[in-house]
Amino acid sequence: MKTILSLQNIVINLGGKPIIDDLSIDFCEGRIHALVGPNGAGKSTTASIIMGLGGYRDVAGDILFDGVSLQGMSVDERARMGITLAWQEPARYEGLLVRDFIGQPAKDKSEARTREVLDMVNLNPNAYIDRCVDRTLSGGERKRIELASILAMEPRFVLMDEPDSGIDVEALECIFDALHFFKESNATVVMITHSPVVLRKAEHAYLLCSGKLSREGSPEEVDAFFTEECASCEEPSAEKVVQETR
Amino acid sequence: MKNNDLLEKLYRSINRKPHALRDRPDIARVEIHHDRVLGVHLVPGLEITAEEKKDTINAKIRVVQGTIIENPIQVCFGMIPENGLQRIVLEIDIEDDVHAAIVAHCTFPNALNIRHEMDAIIRVGKNAHYAYFERHVHGDKGGVTIVPNSKVFVDEGGKYQTDFELIKGRVGKIYLDVDAELQARATAAINARLSASGDDIVEITEKIRLVGEDSVGALTSYLAVRDTAQACINNEMIATAAGARGHVDCKEIIQDNGIARAVPIVSVEHHKAHVTHEAAIGSVDNKQLETLMSRGLDEDTAVDLIIQGMLGGAPEISKAGEDFLTL
C-alpha cells in the first residue's frame, strides 16, 4: 500500500528531555489507523506535529505528505493539502452559525452541501443550520458538527483526537459511520484513543510509549499488549517529564 | 436636492429598495435626511410629530395605551453630504400594555466631517414591551462623530431592549451613553456590537439602575478593535431593590495595535439583590483560530469569521429588521 504520510525520525525535546523520541511511522493511504498509548505517551503531540499546531511548525526530523515535506508549512497550508484534525474538545464560537462554520471552508460551499453533511452525521439540517456553534450545543452535537465540517472539506488525511471523548453512544455511532465515508473516498484516518471500542474500528494500530513507537500491528494485537503490559509499566510518561521540567 | 432623490440615496446607501415600504401600508415608517422629514407613514395607535429646525429635528413618538404594533416601525435617517451636523431630539412614549419595536437604519455613507447627535428620552409604560434596533452604515473614511444619549425609564413589568450595531464601514468616533432606570419587575437588555478600525474611537457608557423589586437588567458589549483604534467600555449596574438581578458582559477582540479598555462597575445596595459581571479582552482564541485554519481557511479569513460571529449574533429584534431588509 502507498504511504501517504511519513513521520521520519521526529524528535521533540522539552527542558532537555525528549517527549517525542526519534519517532518514525508510515501511514498507508486509505487505511483507518489507531494511535494508542498511556497518558503522556505523545499521541496528541504527534497529531499537533502533523497538523503544525502551536510551536510544532518546524520540528527535528521530517514529515512527508504524499512525498512533500510539511516542514515550515502553516496549519492552513497543510489543510489545503488535505490534512485536518478533529479536536478532542471542539472549539466553541459565540455567534458563528453552523452554516458558516461548515460552509466557509467547504469545497462545495452551497447550502445544499452543508445540509447534506449535517444529514451524514445524523443532525437535522433544519434544526441545526442556523444555530450557533456555541455553548448551547452539547459536546456530542459539537463533535458531530465538527465532523460535518471535516466531511465538507473532503480531506485526504484526518486526525481524530479522542473521538469518543465526552460524547454519548449515538454521537459515537455517527463518528464510526463517518469512517465509512472517509474510507469510500480513500481518505486516511488516524484515531488517537485509549478506548478498546474505538481501537477495534481501526485496521492497523500503533502503540506509543514515552514518545517512541513501542509496537505496531493489528488492533487486536496492540490492544492485548496495551492492556496486559502497559498498565503495570513504570516508564515515566512524557506528561510526567513535562511536569518535572516546569 | 429634491426629497425623492435624497430618499433614493438614503435607501441605496443601506443597500435597500427605496420604495419597497410604499406598498406596505401595514408598516409604519419615518424617513429623515439631515434636518428634513422626507416621509412619515403611521399605523393605528402610533402618533408621530416632528418639528424641523436648522440642523435639528425635534420629534415625538407616542404609542397609545394597549396598542400592539405587529410590524416593527421602520426608521431611516442620516446624511448624504460629506459635511454637516444632524441633531435629533426625541421623546418616545410607549404607554402601558403596548407592544412595539423600531428598526432604525442610520447612514452616513460619504462622511468626511459629520456630527450626528441624538438626545432621547424614552418612557416604557407598565407591562409594555418596547424594542429598538439601530444599525449604522458608515463609509470607509471615518469622518463621522456619533453622540447618542438616551435616558430610559421602564415602568412596572415593562420590557425594554435595545441593540446598537455598527459593524460595516468605519466607526469614526462614537460616544454612546445610555442610562436606564427600572421599576418593579421591569427588564432591560442593552446590547452594543461594534467593529472599530483605522484610528476610530469608541466610548460606551451604559448604566442600568435596578430600583424596583425583582427588576432585571443586562448590559452586553461586544467589540472588535483593529489597526490603531481605541475603545473604552464603561458599564455600570446598580441594584438597590430586593430580588433585583443584573449582569454585565463585555468582550473585546484586539488585533494589530488596537487598544481596548473595559470598566465594569457593579454596585449592590440591597442584600437580596444579585449582580454579576464578566469581561474578556484579548486576541482571537488560538483554538478557535487553529480549528478554522485546519479546515483550510487562511489566518485573516479565519479571524474575520470569528469576529463576524461574535459581532453578528442575532438578537430577536434584528430578525425583525432582517425581514424589512428583504423587502
Side-chain angles (χ1 to χ4, degrees):
Chain A
M1 280 179 113
K2 178 189 167 188
T3 296
I4 185 69
L5 190 138
S6 178
L7 295 171
Q8 299 185 342
N9 309 105
I10 303 293
V11 177
I12 305 280
N13 284 306
L14 199 63
K17 296 182 180 178
I19 57 169
I20 298 291
D21 189 0
D22 198 23
L23 180 65
S24 295
I25 299 178
D26 287 337
F27 294 104
C28 291
E29 187 170 37
R31 229 174 185 187
I32 311 286
H33 304 267
L35 197 56
V36 297
N39 282 336
K43 305 185 297 295
S44 293
T45 304
T46 302
S48 296
I49 290 166
I50 294 170
M51 198 68 247
L53 301 180
Y56 299 121
R57 195 158 151 169
D58 287 297
V59 291
D62 206 355
I63 312 164
L64 301 179
F65 182 68
D66 210 4
V68 177
S69 174
L70 300 179
Q71 291 280 40
M73 281 191 188
S74 62
V75 176
D76 55 312
E77 285 170 331
R78 295 174 197 221
R80 285 194 290 275
M81 290 181 75
I83 303 169
T84 193
L85 169 68
W87 302 67
Q88 180 175 351
E89 164 103 21
R92 290 184 288 214
Y93 298 84
E94 194 154 358
L96 181 60
L97 299 176
V98 167
R99 68 164 66 243
D100 293 325
F101 179 70
I102 294 174
Q104 291 250 3
K107 251 190 184 153
D108 174 354
K109 297 182 192 308
S110 69
E111 182 174 328
R113 177 60 176 159
T114 300
R115 288 177 172 276
E116 187 183 5
V117 293
L118 282 170
D119 250 340
M120 287 163 79
V121 295
N122 255 345
L123 291 176
N124 177 357
N126 291 332
Y128 282 90
I129 196 163
D130 285 322
R131 282 187 68 176
C132 293
V133 190
D134 61 11
R135 67 186 77 180
T136 62
L137 296 171
S138 70
E141 287 171 321
R142 273 187 290 123
K143 280 225 173 193
R144 283 199 255 179
I145 285 164
E146 177 171 65
L147 197 56
S149 81
I150 287 174
L151 287 164
M153 86 177 261
E154 298 172 27
R156 297 175 64 198
F157 191 92
V158 184
L159 294 153
M160 301 173 93
D161 194 359
E162 305 279 4
D164 59 325
S165 160
I167 60 172
D168 56 26
V169 176
E170 191 192 355
L172 188 58
E173 282 305 316
C174 285
I175 287 165
F176 290 155
D177 288 345
L179 295 178
H180 297 297
F181 296 122
F182 291 132
K183 190 84 185 153
E184 279 171 15
S185 60
N186 201 37
T188 308
V189 177
V190 178
M191 300 184 293
I192 293 164
T193 186
H194 291 97
S195 159
V197 178
V198 175
L199 177 58
R200 274 183 229 117
K201 294 289 177 185
E203 296 165 298
H204 193 77
Y206 300 93
L207 175 63
L208 286 193
C209 180
S210 297
K212 294 179 187 169
L213 181 61
S214 163
R215 185 165 292 258
E216 69 171 295
S218 71
E220 293 76 19
E221 287 165 357
V222 170
D223 185 28
F225 185 85
F226 182 46
T227 309
E228 289 160 21
E229 304 292 332
C230 290
S232 58
C233 179
E234 302 270 318
E235 181 79 18
S237 70
E239 192 173 50
K240 284 180 193 161
V241 171
V242 172
Q243 282 167 0
E244 283 166 13
T245 56
R246 282 182 180 157
Chain B
M1 201 180 291
K2 287 179 181 171
N3 283 4
N4 268 349
D5 295 338
L6 287 170
L7 200 59
E8 172 105 13
K9 284 187 192 307
L10 276 182
Y11 277 107
R12 291 284 175 212
S13 73
I14 58 170
N15 221 8
R16 306 296 167 234
K17 296 170 193 164
H19 301 293
L21 289 171
R22 304 282 150 142
D23 305 324
R24 292 292 303 269
D26 56 328
I27 297 178
R29 63 184 157 75
V30 183
E31 291 132 347
I32 293 170
H33 179 271
H34 186 201
D35 52 13
R36 279 150 72 180
V37 178
L38 304 180
V40 176
H41 173 72
L42 303 178
V43 293
L46 172 66
E47 297 173 2
I48 298 176
T49 58
E51 181 190 10
E52 298 174 347
K53 289 184 174 178
K54 183 174 177 356
D55 297 331
T56 303
I57 298 283
N58 288 318
K60 289 185 181 176
I61 297 176
R62 177 183 176 223
V63 185
V64 176
Q65 183 176 353
T67 302
I68 293 174
I69 298 180
E70 295 284 346
N71 298 307
I73 301 157
Q74 304 296 328
V75 176
C76 183
F77 59 93
M79 287 180 73
I80 296 302
E82 295 175 341
N83 306 306
L85 167 66
Q86 181 182 50
R87 184 183 297 123
I88 296 179
V89 182
L90 188 60
E91 269 186 61
I92 299 179
D93 262 315
I94 307 295
E95 295 186 350
D96 297 352
D97 302 310
V98 160
H99 283 224
I102 290 179
V103 173
H105 287 81
C106 189
T107 175
F108 304 97
N110 309 310
L112 289 179
N113 184 17
I114 281 183
R115 183 177 172 90
H116 167 82
E117 297 175 3
M118 164 91 78
D119 283 303
I121 294 176
I122 300 160
R123 284 179 284 268
V124 180
K126 288 179 183 167
N127 302 312
H129 293 194
Y130 171 62
Y132 180 77
F133 171 78
E134 181 168 315
R135 173 176 289 165
H136 275 244
V137 179
H138 292 185
D140 57 6
K141 299 187 181 75
V144 58
T145 300
I146 306 288
V147 190
N149 286 294
S150 303
K151 303 274 184 223
V152 185
F153 302 92
V154 189
D155 213 333
E156 290 173 19
K159 286 188 179 176
Y160 172 70
Q161 180 182 337
T162 178
D163 293 278
F164 184 95
E165 179 188 291
L166 205 173
I167 55 179
K168 288 196 178 138
R170 287 275 307 280
V171 168
K173 293 177 184 155
I174 184 161
Y175 305 93
L176 174 68
D177 193 323
V178 183
D179 184 327
E181 182 179 287
L182 277 59
Q183 299 299 324
R185 292 173 285 99
T187 67
I190 297 174
N191 308 313
R193 292 165 197 268
L194 293 94
S195 177
S197 58
D199 58 356
D200 291 344
I201 291 176
V202 176
E203 197 163 315
I204 295 176
T205 304
E206 294 171 330
K207 183 190 286 187
I208 293 181
R209 284 174 288 128
L210 304 166
V211 300
E213 286 189 5
D214 300 319
S215 54
V216 178
L219 293 169
T220 307
S221 305
Y222 289 176
L223 269 77
V225 185
R226 293 187 241 219
D227 303 327
T228 58
Q230 296 187 35
C232 183
I233 299 173
N234 307 285
N235 281 341
E236 187 171 359
M237 184 75 66
I238 305 163
T240 58
R245 287 174 293 131
H247 183 66
V248 178
D249 183 5
C250 170
K251 284 195 181 67
E252 296 180 77
I253 289 181
I254 303 183
Q255 300 276 284
D256 313 314
N257 296 311
I259 297 174
R261 183 176 296 158
V263 188
I265 297 173
V266 296
S267 173
V268 178
E269 297 170 23
H270 195 289
H271 70 282
K272 287 185 175 172
H274 186 71
V275 178
T276 54
H277 77 84
E278 58 184 300
I281 301 179
S283 61
V284 169
D285 178 83
N286 208 41
K287 186 172 178 181
Q288 292 179 338
L289 186 61
E290 286 189 328
T291 296
L292 292 172
M293 289 174 73
S294 72
R295 304 289 179 270
L297 295 184
D298 63 53
E299 187 170 344
D300 287 347
T301 308
V303 167
D304 284 348
L305 192 57
I306 293 164
I307 290 174
Q308 177 195 312
M310 183 189 80
L311 296 177
E316 282 299 307
I317 186 62
S318 68
K319 285 179 188 159
E322 293 302 332
D323 289 344
F324 156 69
L325 300 181
T326 58
L327 284 171

